[in-house]
Amino acid sequence: MTTDTGRFAGYGVLITGAARGIGAATATRFAEEGARVLVADADPEAGERTAAALRDRGLTVEAVACDVRDQASVEAAVAHAVHAFGTVDVLVNNAAHCTPDAPRFEDQAEEDWAADLDVTLTGAYRCCRAALAHLEASCRGAIVTVGSVNGLQDFGNHAYSAAKAGLVSLTRTLAGHAGPRGVRVNLVAPGTIRTRAWEGRDDDLVAVSEVYPLRRIGEPEDIAAAVTFLASRDAAWITGTTLTVDGGVTAVNHGFRRALDHTGR
């Protein structure tokens, strides 16, 4: 079943990397607001657990195995959504891969660089390519990609950051192409979010929170709220934009402030 009310009543939504973290929170938010949601993830067991938990609440959520590195897998996921829901109105590109940097840039393995770009940037390209005609046919299509502040400033992780920066550019260029087809394309750039990448690092999260003007790190639900806003008709005249959802961290130069504090100026 699904709800008959809510911003996304009757919508079909496909979310990649939706088994955990930001993806799972986004699936939950869409489903709670009436959407029929397909949880697409390279870990099908985890994806099914997320979908089953939402179905237990009476929400319409299905899961499918999807490896965004493989065009056939992506196309199968899109076809599953169309078959199950009759439409794909929203695509959320959330799948990503992040390889830790080598101590020296020149020691980074080329295969690690390629893996980050293949999943994070090219994976989103594959999903957009597979879904675009269906999004156009829905007459209310929207693509929302989950980027990162890493694509805007230096927070480390060379390959991941380059891939996320590429997503910012793809958002702009695809918005120009897709706009006349009735499809909006936007990106959310999160700051530090409490996900499994930070498991066991509570002290690090406390320390990191101090550089955020709002004095906390983000939660997956913070990003889900931004994604659903950009996908909704409330954002009907917004396309090609990058929305930073980062507690203000990219707005403040803490190094500069500390330097001035040190000099007493």
Side-chain angles (χ1 to χ4, degrees):
M1 64 171 286
T2 189
T3 59
D4 295 326
T5 60
R7 285 189 297 180
F8 300 105
Y11 278 60
V13 178
L14 170 59
I15 307 171
T16 65
R20 303 178 180 88
I22 292 170
T26 302
T28 300
R29 181 68 180 258
F30 271 111
E32 288 175 341
E33 295 200 45
R36 299 161 294 173
V37 178
L38 183 61
V39 170
D41 202 281
D43 184 342
E45 291 80 12
E48 177 54 34
R49 286 194 295 271
T50 296
L54 293 173
R55 286 197 299 271
D56 287 345
R57 297 175 50 194
L59 302 173
T60 302
V61 182
E62 297 190 15
V64 67
C66 180
D67 183 351
V68 299
R69 298 172 299 179
D70 177 49
Q71 187 68 42
S73 181
V74 168
E75 290 174 357
V78 171
H80 185 118
V82 172
H83 177 75
F85 307 142
T87 180
V88 177
D89 301 288
V90 178
L91 167 66
V92 179
N93 293 307
N94 177 64
H97 188 278
C98 182
T99 303
D101 285 339
R104 299 191 308 167
F105 179 81
E106 59 267 36
D107 295 331
Q108 186 92 32
E110 187 170 336
E111 55 267 29
D112 292 338
W113 173 274
D116 282 14
L117 266 69
D118 194 22
V119 174
T120 307
L121 177 57
T122 310
Y125 154 76
R126 293 185 184 104
C127 292
C128 293
R129 185 170 67 174
L132 190 54
H134 300 287
L135 294 166
E136 179 181 6
S138 82
C139 299
R140 57 187 180 189
I143 297 170
V144 184
T145 296
V146 178
S148 173
V149 293
N150 283 57
L152 308 175
Q153 290 186 8
D154 174 24
F155 291 92
N157 299 112
H158 301 296
Y160 174 81
S161 298
K164 291 294 191 179
L167 289 173
V168 174
S169 179
L170 177 61
T171 295
R172 290 193 296 263
T173 58
L174 186 55
H177 170 82
R181 300 171 66 177
V183 179
R184 298 181 300 104
V185 186
N186 292 292
L187 181 141
V188 174
T192 304
I193 305 298
R194 192 188 309 276
T195 64
R196 67 172 180 162
W198 292 91
E199 285 179 359
R201 300 174 61 186
D202 290 346
D203 290 346
D204 288 340
L205 287 178
V206 171
V208 165
S209 69
E210 293 302 310
V211 305
Y212 281 82
L214 293 182
R215 291 299 188 268
R216 71 171 178 89
I217 62 163
E219 302 294 338
E221 292 75 15
D222 292 318
I223 308 308
V227 171
T228 51
F229 162 67
L230 287 174
S232 76
R233 298 306 300 171
D234 293 333
W237 211 47
I238 300 175
T239 195
T241 196
T242 291
L243 174 62
T244 53
V245 185
D246 67 351
V249 71
T250 58
V252 178
N253 188 324
H254 287 279
F256 185 81
R257 283 177 173 269
R258 284 194 296 268
L260 289 183
D261 289 345
H262 178 72
T263 63
R265 292 175 62 187

